[in-house]
Amino acid sequence: MTAELSAQPGETQPEPVPAPASLTPAQAFDALYAFCAPALVRQAYLLTGRRELARESVERAFQLAWQRWPEVAVDRDPAGWVRAMTYEYALSPWHRFRPRYRHPEPPAADPSDRALMAVLLNLPPSQRRSLLLYDGLGLDLPETAAETEASTPTTANRLLNARAAIAARLPDLSDPAALHDRLVSLASHERLRAPQPPAVRSGSERRARFWTRAAIAFTVALIGTTALTVRTAPTHYEPPVAPGAEIQGVPARVGQGALSEAEVALRKKLRSSMGNGPEKVVPLAR
């Protein structure tokens, strides 16, 4: 990959020069970044239609590559590893919830570029990715299927549907060669820049330190919570309070009935006696 999206049809894509054994990890990373980043930014732009998101996708992919550099350095295809991470981040559905990406960016100046970009963005993400890998970069069908983690028949159907959708809107792009040339032209017309490798490496190290500190803080909080629970938890068994039992043999409460004759006579006597005076406290002689 050079400044273009990929090599022209019939040409072999340039391979990265094997790094000498004397290169440090930072130098090897910078060489991979200089080889892949410019083309990856343009590919991410074709996937998203957003310039800033394309730049961010490439930066995050290389930050992850630097964090896993011992693994990426010995990978069979380091450029393919970074490309897969770039595509995954660029096509993440969570970007739609970010405030900075809720509003569309200014469209391309050329009307034909705007038409092609509109058709690309209307494709499902899986079809868009397969089309870019196969018709844009020139990967063969098994490689495209492997990178998109799909079967070969599924990838072929995605390519056919994507080509049919583009040909229905833009008949002059029904030829795969013409489609490849237009994809390269569309990506090359935009002024897309990738950050410098030292900035990417320092950003990756800052993110790694942040998540390390966050993990340590979470672990300390978890240990403190566990210690507090052990400290305040009861140390012996406390049987639960038995539920209340019904008391037997207590007579039921009944309402007051009618007065007997003696009670009526006593009530009349009390009412007819004087309400005050010493007679109230002096007992009557019988």
Side-chain angles (χ1 to χ4, degrees):
M1 300 177 197
T2 59
E4 292 186 353
L5 183 65
S6 64
Q8 296 292 334
E11 298 179 354
T12 58
Q13 186 173 339
E15 295 294 338
V17 179
S22 59
L23 285 183
T24 64
Q27 292 173 338
F29 174 85
D30 293 352
L32 177 66
Y33 186 90
F35 178 76
C36 299
L40 284 178
V41 174
R42 289 172 171 79
Q43 296 169 31
Y45 172 72
L46 295 182
L47 288 176
T48 62
R50 295 184 177 274
R51 301 167 183 83
E52 185 61 28
L53 180 57
R55 180 181 179 276
E56 180 183 348
S57 301
V58 175
E59 184 176 1
R60 290 294 179 84
F62 274 97
Q63 286 178 355
L64 185 61
W66 180 242
Q67 294 175 13
R68 304 180 181 180
W69 185 246
E71 170 190 346
V72 178
V74 298
D75 191 86
R76 182 179 58 181
D77 184 14
W81 192 97
V82 179
R83 180 177 62 237
M85 294 298 103
T86 302
Y87 286 18
E88 289 290 341
Y89 186 87
L91 295 177
S92 173
W94 298 107
H95 295 309
R96 70 185 69 176
F97 301 108
R98 301 173 62 182
R100 64 187 302 182
Y101 296 132
R102 289 179 181 175
H103 304 287
E105 292 187 359
D110 187 81
S112 60
D113 290 347
R114 290 199 301 268
L116 178 57
M117 181 59 70
V119 176
L120 288 176
L121 296 180
N122 284 333
L123 294 175
S126 58
Q127 295 183 13
R128 201 183 318 154
R129 182 175 183 176
S130 300
L131 181 74
L132 181 59
L133 291 173
Y134 189 82
D135 287 328
L137 273 67
L139 300 184
D140 59 18
L141 192 58
E143 291 175 340
T144 303
E147 187 156 329
T148 57
E149 298 181 351
S151 63
T152 303
T154 300
T155 305
N157 289 331
R158 290 174 179 174
L159 289 171
L160 292 176
N161 293 333
R163 286 178 175 178
I166 294 177
R169 295 280 300 275
L170 303 172
D172 55 332
L173 298 181
S174 56
D175 182 17
L179 178 60
H180 169 81
D181 294 339
R182 287 291 293 116
L183 290 175
V184 173
S185 175
L186 174 60
S188 301
H189 287 171
E190 293 294 331
R191 295 183 177 180
L192 303 171
R193 296 181 179 179
Q196 295 300 318
V200 175
R201 285 190 278 107
S202 61
S204 175
E205 293 167 358
R206 285 195 303 269
R207 289 177 63 88
R209 287 194 298 267
F210 170 79
W211 287 113
T212 301
R213 293 170 181 172
I216 293 174
F218 177 78
T219 304
V220 171
L222 182 61
I223 294 174
T225 304
T226 305
L228 180 62
T229 303
V230 173
R231 178 77 176 177
T232 58
T235 58
H236 60 279
Y237 175 73
E238 296 182 0
V241 179
E246 183 180 358
I247 301 176
Q248 304 293 333
V250 178
R253 178 179 296 180
V254 296
Q256 185 177 3
L259 298 178
S260 62
E261 294 181 359
E263 291 173 342
V264 172
L266 178 60
R267 184 179 63 180
K268 289 180 179 181
K269 182 179 179 180
L270 292 174
R271 288 179 178 178
S272 62
S273 62
M274 296 181 63
N276 52 16
E279 294 82 358
K280 294 292 292 181
V281 297
V282 176
L284 299 176
R286 294 186 180 180

